[in-house]
Amino acid sequence: MLKRYIPTYHAKSIYDVPIAFLKSINVTTVLVDLDNTLDSYRSKSPSNSALVLKELYDEAGIELIIVSNNTKKRVEPYASKLGVRFIPSIGKPFSKNIKKALKELSLDKDNVIMVGDQTVTDICSANLSGLRSILTDKIVKEDQPTTHFNRLFDRPIRRSLKRKNLLKEVG
Ligand SMILES: [Mg+2]
């Protein structure tokens, strides 16, 4: 039961994942969740941190692709301002659309990692897709109302992962 929620790694946020670390584990593509992973769900435009991150990834030859359960209306304006490809309504925790995306974008699983702030959606879908993952903490306290239900599961799962020493820090 817990197994599908175990991330490969944990980091405080995506901004705390060293690029050198990603390179050391052969990552060339980061599939990243948007809300509460890159920015607050209220942020219509990328934060300065997100813009800097994108620049650093570009320099390192790592592509950032947003994979979100949120709508195209939410994701598209943000993603185009950040200058990244994106897939909205991806249907996490299921793996169907992620597998489809890997195929369509010709991505090799061995060079991809998923980053997200929820065990029950982001990490579960990575595991079901056979992808490595990094679980992050929420970057802001406030979640979108639709996420409140997921947190009822996410919180005890995180506690359990911590207690069992299953959160391996990046770096
Ligand atoms: Mg999220």
Side-chain angles (χ1 to χ4, degrees), residues 29 85 100-109 112:
T29 304
R85 298 199 275 184
K100 201 172 124 196
L102 291 171
K103 213 171 169 184
E104 282 175 7
L105 303 175
S106 304
L107 298 174
D108 184 339
K109 276 184 191 177
V112 176

Side-chain angles (χ1 to χ4, degrees), residues 1 15 17 19-20 27 29 37 49 51-52 58 62 65 79-80 85 87 95 100 106 139 143 153-154:
M1 175 58 192
Y15 304 106
V17 179
I19 288 187
V27 168
T29 304
T37 298
S49 309
L51 293 167
V52 169
D58 280 350
I62 297 172
I65 301 176
S80 50
R85 298 199 275 184
I87 307 167
S95 57
K100 201 172 124 196
S106 304
I139 55 164
D143 279 313
F153 299 94
D154 184 68

Side-chain angles (χ1 to χ4, degrees), residues 26 43 65 72 79 98 108 110 139 147 156 160:
N26 301 317
S43 306
I65 301 176
K72 189 175 176 193
I98 291 172
D108 184 339
D110 294 342
I139 55 164
T147 302
S160 180

Side-chain angles (χ1 to χ4, degrees), residues 29-49:
T29 304
V30 173
L31 299 182
V32 66
D33 173 54
L34 172 52
D35 298 317
N36 236 338
T37 298
L38 273 176
D39 266 308
S40 159
Y41 83 94
R42 288 185 186 276
S43 306
K44 293 193 167 60
S45 300
S47 60
N48 201 38
S49 309

